[in-house]
Amino acid sequence: MDLLKVGDKVYTVKRDGFADFARYSFSEVERLTKTLAVLKNGVRLVNKPRESFIMEDVGYSVARDYGKHWHKVSLKAIREAQLENAKIRVHEWFEQRTFSLAEKQLIHKQFEELNMLYPKTEEGKIV
């Protein structure tokens, strides 16, 4: 387990409840003190790697808030953040829109063509 160095890229994930989307925040280590790594966004991390089973194997605690952890960026984390951000974008788009009848008909027709109008169980029966 390595200490953070200037230039290391790190991330954290926040959720507001179990049903909420995972919201990823990324930053970079800007400077180091004797015991802390200060990120570009102002967050101060204790520069002492710890076992963390939250997102990655190793995490770095936020100074004075040891329940929050940041992790070194990995390709897996970047991909998961991209997928989650796509879900958030779609959700927010639908939340901000009011559909006209013509638009609702287009959506209905698309679902009909994809045979997705009604949810089906594993046995193939309509719920």
Side-chain angles (χ1 to χ4, degrees), residues 2-14:
D2 298 327
L3 296 175
L4 291 170
K5 301 179 288 299
V6 173
D8 282 350
K9 294 180 181 14
V10 292
Y11 76 98
T12 191
V13 182
K14 179 182 167 199

Side-chain angles (χ1 to χ4, degrees), residues 16-122:
D16 291 331
F18 291 111
D20 189 30
F21 295 105
R23 301 188 187 269
Y24 286 74
S25 298
F26 292 87
S27 193
E28 184 177 333
V29 176
E30 185 175 55
R31 61 187 173 88
L32 300 171
T33 68
K34 189 174 183 179
T35 58
L36 301 175
V38 182
L39 305 181
K40 283 188 175 182
N41 63 2
V43 174
R44 298 168 5 155
L45 303 178
V46 176
N47 198 3
K48 182 178 180 185
R50 308 185 87 138
E51 274 191 11
S52 171
F53 303 105
I54 298 170
M55 297 301 293
E56 304 279 344
D57 295 338
V58 177
Y60 300 86
S61 301
V62 173
R64 298 184 184 207
D65 193 353
Y66 296 102
K68 294 181 182 174
H69 291 83
W70 286 69
H71 310 276
K72 285 188 177 182
V73 171
S74 64
L75 290 175
K76 177 184 168 201
I78 292 170
R79 184 66 187 137
E80 288 175 358
Q82 289 171 335
L83 294 171
E84 199 68 14
N85 286 340
K87 291 179 197 175
I88 292 168
R89 213 171 21 257
V90 169
H91 176 76
E92 289 177 351
W93 184 82
F94 273 96
E95 289 290 313
Q96 295 170 358
R97 283 273 317 223
T98 304
F99 293 95
S100 67
L101 179 57
E103 290 170 328
K104 288 178 183 178
Q105 288 173 322
L106 285 171
I107 293 169
H108 183 273
K109 183 178 180 180
Q110 187 67 37
F111 271 85
E112 193 174 46
E113 289 173 1
L114 294 172
N115 198 23
M116 294 176 58
L117 271 182
Y118 304 102
K120 295 179 181 170
T121 62
E122 290 179 20

